[in-house]
Amino acid sequence: MEGQVLLQNIYDTIKEWQIKIGYQEESMGLYYPANSLKRLMKLPENMTLSELLKKLDIFLEGKVDTLGKVVVSNQKDRICLQIPKEGTAYVHEHILASPFLKEFIEKITMPGCTLEEIKKVFYKYSTNVVEKDGIHDGLGRIFYFEDETIDSYVYCLEFDEFGATYHRFDKLDFQHL
C-alpha cells in the first residue's frame, strides 16, 4: 500500500524519541527531505514538490484515526510533518517498542559506552549483523541487521571524547547518501 512504509517510519521515529526522552503529551515535528518522502511512499523521483505535498495530504487524511490531524509544511524541499499530541499518544499506547532499540538506546546513552558494548547489543539479537567502516565517508561505524524483522534501520555510530552518538537511516535513504 502506498505510504505504508512512511507510516511505519513515522511510528518508529516517534517511538525512538519516546524511548530516548520518555513520553510527553505533546506534538512532535518530523522533518524529511522531499526525496526521502518520495522513497518512503514509493513515488516517482521526478514527481514535483506540489504533487508530493498533495499525495502526502491525501495519505495523512486517511490516518487521522491514529495520527490525528497532521499539519504538513515545507521550506523548499524540507518537509515537516507536525504530529499532534493525539498521534504521539497513539504511538505511546499502541506501538510496542523494539526490544533491540530499547537496549541499544540504553547502552549508547551510558557514559563511557564503547564500540564493543554496542556490538554486543547487535550480536545479542542476531549473528547476521552487517558491520562496515564508514569513517572515510563521514559515517563512522555502520551496523544493520540482515534480518529486517529484528530492526530495519542502518545505524551509523561515532565515538569521541564526549561519548557515543548515532544516526539512524532507513535503508533506502542510506543507499542514497
Side-chain angles (χ1 to χ4, degrees):
M1 178 181 169
E2 187 176 279
Q4 199 58 36
V5 176
L6 172 59
L7 182 62
Q8 188 62 53
N9 185 275
I10 291 169
Y11 289 163
D12 290 347
T13 303
I14 292 171
K15 186 54 83 172
E16 176 189 16
W17 281 99
Q18 290 176 347
I19 292 169
K20 282 183 183 178
I21 63 173
Y23 169 66
Q24 298 177 8
E25 189 176 331
E26 61 186 16
S27 68
M28 181 181 290
L30 305 180
Y31 293 85
Y32 294 89
N35 285 335
S36 291
L37 287 173
K38 290 175 191 176
R39 285 189 283 277
L40 290 168
M41 294 182 73
K42 299 181 180 169
L43 299 171
E45 291 273 334
N46 63 351
M47 177 178 272
T48 67
L49 182 60
S50 64
E51 291 170 328
L52 171 62
L53 293 172
K54 285 178 190 172
K55 285 273 194 187
L56 199 51
D57 281 338
I58 292 167
F59 171 71
L60 292 169
E61 283 174 15
K63 303 302 172 213
V64 171
D65 57 331
T66 57
L67 292 177
K69 176 68 177 137
V70 177
V71 175
V72 178
S73 61
N74 71 293
Q75 287 199 339
K76 298 185 181 178
D77 283 352
R78 185 171 185 239
I79 299 170
C80 177
L81 306 182
Q82 190 67 39
I83 312 297
K85 64 183 178 180
E86 296 82 11
T88 60
Y90 176 86
V91 171
H92 174 69
E93 295 166 7
H94 296 95
I95 305 299
L96 293 176
S98 152
F100 162 75
L101 187 60
K102 283 173 65 174
E103 191 169 344
F104 172 80
I105 290 173
E106 182 180 298
K107 184 60 71 180
I108 201 160
T109 56
M110 290 181 69
C113 172
T114 66
L115 178 60
E116 287 306 314
E117 290 172 316
I118 294 296
K119 281 184 184 183
K120 286 179 185 175
V121 173
F122 275 90
Y123 284 98
K124 175 181 175 180
Y125 289 88
S126 176
T127 56
N128 296 319
V129 175
V130 176
E131 182 180 350
K132 297 179 181 179
D133 182 355
I135 294 171
H136 298 12
D137 298 322
L139 299 171
R141 198 83 190 144
I142 300 164
F143 291 90
Y144 60 89
F145 293 103
E146 286 184 11
D147 178 357
E148 291 188 13
T149 62
I150 299 167
D151 188 279
S152 63
Y153 293 90
V154 176
Y155 293 81
C156 300
L157 287 76
E158 294 185 275
F159 296 84
D160 60 25
E161 63 273 7
F162 300 108
T165 57
Y166 78 96
H167 297 283
R168 185 174 87 148
F169 296 96
D170 173 88
K171 283 188 179 173
L172 290 173
D173 274 343
F174 181 76
Q175 292 170 355
H176 285 87
L177 285 177

